[in-house]
Amino acid sequence: MSATPSLHVDAVTVDFPVYGGDSRSFKNDLLHRSTGGRIGRYAGRGMSVRALEEVTLAFARGDRVALVGANGAGKTTLLRVLAGIYQPTGGTVRRRGRVASLFNISLGIDFDATGYENIGTRGLLLGLTPAEIRERTDEIAAFTELGDYLAMPVHTYSSGMMLRLAFAVCTCIEPEILLMDEWIGVGDAAFVEKAERRLQAFVERAGILVLASHSAALIERVCTTGVLLERGRVRAAGPIDRILRQYAGHAS
Amino acid sequence: MPPALSTCQPAFSDVVQGARAVHLWGALGWQDIRQRYRRSRLGPFWLTISMGVLVAALGVLYAGLFDIEVAVYLPFIAGGFVVWGLISGLITDGCTAFIHAESIVKQVNLPLSVHVYRVVWRTLIVFAHNAVIFVVVALLFSIRPGWAGLLALPGLAVLCVNGVWVGLLLGLVSARYRDIPQIVASFVQVTFFLTPIIWQPELLPDRALVLDFNPFYHFVELVRGPALGRAPELVSWLAAAGVTLGGWLVTLALYCRYRWRIAYWL
């Protein structure tokens, strides 16, 4: 593990190619929307959507960052850039520390496989070694309270049970940089409190947290700083209450 | 984005790191197999059975048509079908290596080559099941490949090494142009008939163009030849080496340049 995780984003621009979409006739219309990115020409052929434009941010150990903004403002794209999934079309990203991205909690769930098998596959996708997975399986199993169900195919689970399983596996890792898209919701009332505690501990273990969310209550509880995105640009960045006020004021 | 040499470094390390993630692609490859056959008692052996029936039926029919002894023809066609299953599987499944992995690609930062190794591994597992057909036929007609038979293993390794570049290349191009998998599928079908799988090379009076310039013939021979007890000709090794080298060079050049676009294309 590196001593100090850090994330630097320098003048990052992301252009998405749009293929097959004959959006020319809608061009003017789209350019004047209030949500979404900018639409323009891509490399001289076809259309492109500018999802991020000249985004510059720096995160250091201890940062609890909320990404806020309207739909299509670029939150998910920025998270993917931070994770290294999208290499930006312009600008640079420097990343130090083990990164974990939790965008979709049920990624890689095989409904025909048993709970235990799914713990294994999901663990591998999260970057754990088989030995680490074996080590943690008991703890994960205990947390889910699924008991013998873990030896049954996941398609026999209720959606709540499946969520418990996915949640327990996802939160068993120790990333230095944690990237999350929306909060992981866990339905079952009896389970919520327990899950919340685990989630809190999980998030606190991470050196850096970047969370994209629409829930002001949640953001206030977890994050200390905020970044307000608007049509792919950073409109404001700073203490979370100021950013939330600005976002609320802007939205109304 | 100008593709400078410096952009090749991440592409190379992608290919190497991907290969190292053997636990991951090993597990995902098995998961693919299990998922396909989860609730069937025979599992992947269904494939074996259907190919076995085909081989037996065609073997007897064409042995009559070509006027070749069944004891000679059946092992030939069995070997050919099994090896062709591997080659065509590597090519057609390679096309969808990235497309089918979209949800993973967009959520976890993994070496992209992992998805290609997964396909190669999965195809190899299917091949291992199909190989049973050849073994049964060989036992039935007491074919003893002897020491030459061992040469099938390096042949198999060559096929897999080529399967990786084919998957990287076709997977990349297919992610961008979604009609490539269909084009490739019909190409593979035509190639099947042009390659001596059903017909024996000796039937062709002038073998130059159709055989010597058909790389698929040489690849099939690298495995089928030894399995039937004869070492592949030098020309087959040379042709395979040429294709391997050329294929990897072209693939790496394109992979360096366009690998980072794959996530955008999906």
Side-chain angles (χ1 to χ4, degrees):
Chain A
M1 282 204 182
S2 53
T4 47
S6 64
L7 261 179
H8 290 273
V9 176
D10 195 20
V12 159
T13 294
V14 169
D15 286 317
F16 276 103
V18 180
Y19 299 111
D22 181 18
S23 28
R24 252 184 202 196
S25 50
F26 294 109
K27 194 174 169 187
N28 291 335
D29 182 30
L30 290 166
L31 274 173
H32 292 107
R33 291 170 316 162
S34 61
T35 59
R38 285 149 201 283
I39 296 182
R41 307 288 297 173
Y42 172 69
R45 60 202 151 80
M47 304 289 288
S48 77
V49 173
R50 176 151 291 185
L52 292 178
E53 186 163 2
E54 299 282 325
V55 172
T56 300
L57 294 163
F59 305 131
R61 181 186 202 86
D63 280 353
R64 299 279 173 271
V65 187
L67 298 181
V68 293
N71 291 330
K75 299 188 297 291
T76 303
T77 306
L78 180 55
L79 281 176
R80 286 192 179 140
V81 167
L82 293 175
I85 293 163
Y86 289 148
Q87 187 179 318
T89 31
T92 53
V93 181
R94 275 172 302 143
R95 189 182 302 110
R96 208 163 58 194
R98 202 162 96 147
V99 182
S101 45
L102 291 183
F103 301 158
N104 176 357
I105 188 171
S106 36
L107 168 71
I109 293 276
D110 174 2
F111 286 85
D112 286 325
T114 67
Y116 284 121
E117 285 171 334
N118 273 299
I119 291 177
T121 328
R122 184 66 218 245
L124 287 168
L125 280 173
L126 288 166
L128 297 176
T129 65
E132 285 172 321
I133 294 168
R134 272 194 299 277
E135 229 168 74
R136 291 168 205 209
T137 299
D138 286 343
E139 186 267 326
I140 293 170
F143 183 80
T144 60
E145 297 172 8
L146 289 174
D148 293 342
Y149 262 104
L150 285 172
M152 304 266 285
V154 169
H155 66 76
T156 62
Y157 292 19
S158 70
S159 55
M161 289 162 74
M162 206 208 75
L163 214 53
R164 283 186 181 210
L165 178 69
F167 174 83
V169 186
C170 289
T171 47
C172 84
I173 51 172
E174 277 137 34
E176 291 165 294
I177 300 172
L178 178 59
L179 310 170
M180 291 174 89
D181 200 357
E182 283 301 336
W183 201 243
I184 296 174
V186 191
D188 189 343
F191 193 63
V192 166
E193 207 181 317
K194 194 177 164 188
E196 285 283 332
R197 270 202 308 278
R198 183 180 170 98
L199 201 48
Q200 205 75 33
F202 173 57
V203 163
E204 274 158 19
R205 282 203 301 274
I208 298 174
L209 168 75
V210 183
L211 165 73
S213 176
H214 288 289
S215 157
L218 161 75
I219 289 172
E220 277 178 327
R221 206 168 64 232
V222 184
C223 300
T224 50
T225 52
V227 173
L228 174 57
L229 289 172
E230 193 182 281
R231 302 188 63 198
R233 290 173 188 263
V234 175
R235 192 181 146 89
I240 191 62
D241 33 336
R242 182 164 67 82
I243 296 298
L244 281 177
R245 262 202 315 279
Q246 200 168 347
Y247 179 46
H250 175 72
S252 60
Chain B
M1 276 280 104
L5 252 181
S6 60
T7 58
C8 282
Q9 168 53 36
F12 291 143
S13 88
D14 179 290
V15 172
V16 175
Q17 297 299 326
R20 283 196 190 146
V22 51
H23 293 301
L24 183 57
W25 52 257
L28 290 173
W30 270 116
Q31 179 179 308
D32 290 337
I33 300 279
R34 279 198 311 253
Q35 216 160 21
R36 243 182 265 184
Y37 305 103
R38 176 73 64 175
R39 303 225 205 139
S40 68
R41 208 164 266 269
L42 289 172
F45 281 106
W46 275 117
L47 273 187
T48 314
I49 290 171
S50 67
M51 189 183 271
V53 169
L54 187 69
V55 164
L58 288 185
V60 173
L61 173 68
Y62 278 79
L65 283 176
F66 291 140
D67 197 20
I68 307 171
E69 259 185 85
V70 174
V72 174
Y73 185 68
L74 205 56
F76 170 81
I77 195 176
F81 261 92
V82 171
V83 178
W84 186 258
L86 175 64
I87 293 175
S88 65
L90 288 173
I91 296 172
T92 51
D93 284 8
C95 288
T96 49
F98 298 132
I99 295 176
H100 284 171
E102 180 183 346
S103 63
I104 299 181
V105 170
K106 282 196 174 171
Q107 292 191 48
V108 194
N109 185 16
L110 290 170
L112 287 172
S113 60
V114 161
H115 309 296
V116 172
Y117 293 114
R118 168 191 189 170
V119 167
V120 173
W121 172 235
R122 178 217 297 159
T123 315
L124 206 56
I125 296 172
V126 172
F127 168 80
H129 284 85
N130 287 337
V132 172
I133 298 169
F134 179 79
V135 173
V136 168
V137 171
L139 288 176
L140 220 58
F141 295 100
S142 38
I143 302 264
R144 280 176 226 288
W147 288 107
L150 287 178
L151 285 173
L153 292 176
L156 214 51
V158 170
L159 283 189
C160 291
V161 167
N162 279 276
V164 177
W165 75 255
V166 165
L168 287 171
L169 181 69
L170 292 178
L172 176 93
V173 181
S174 304
R176 171 66 182 85
Y177 302 101
R178 295 304 170 94
D179 35 11
I180 296 289
Q182 279 91 325
I183 296 170
V184 169
S186 36
F187 169 80
V188 167
Q189 200 161 26
V190 172
T191 317
F192 168 77
F193 289 107
L194 290 180
T195 308
I197 308 290
I198 292 184
W199 50 276
Q200 293 189 294
E202 295 81 44
L203 291 173
L204 207 65
D206 176 21
R207 52 174 273 171
L209 198 72
V210 182
L211 289 184
D212 287 338
F213 289 103
N214 178 356
F216 293 95
Y217 164 64
H218 298 297
F219 280 114
V220 168
E221 267 311 294
L222 285 191
V223 181
R224 181 179 60 188
L228 293 172
R230 54 175 167 23
E233 289 175 79
L234 182 65
V235 62
S236 292
W237 286 111
L238 290 177
V243 171
T244 309
L245 201 67
W248 268 106
L249 281 177
V250 171
T251 301
L252 283 176
L254 280 169
Y255 200 56
C256 285
R257 192 170 173 153
Y258 295 112
R259 179 188 62 100
W260 69 284
R261 299 298 289 166
I262 291 173
Y264 287 92
W265 288 334
L266 289 174

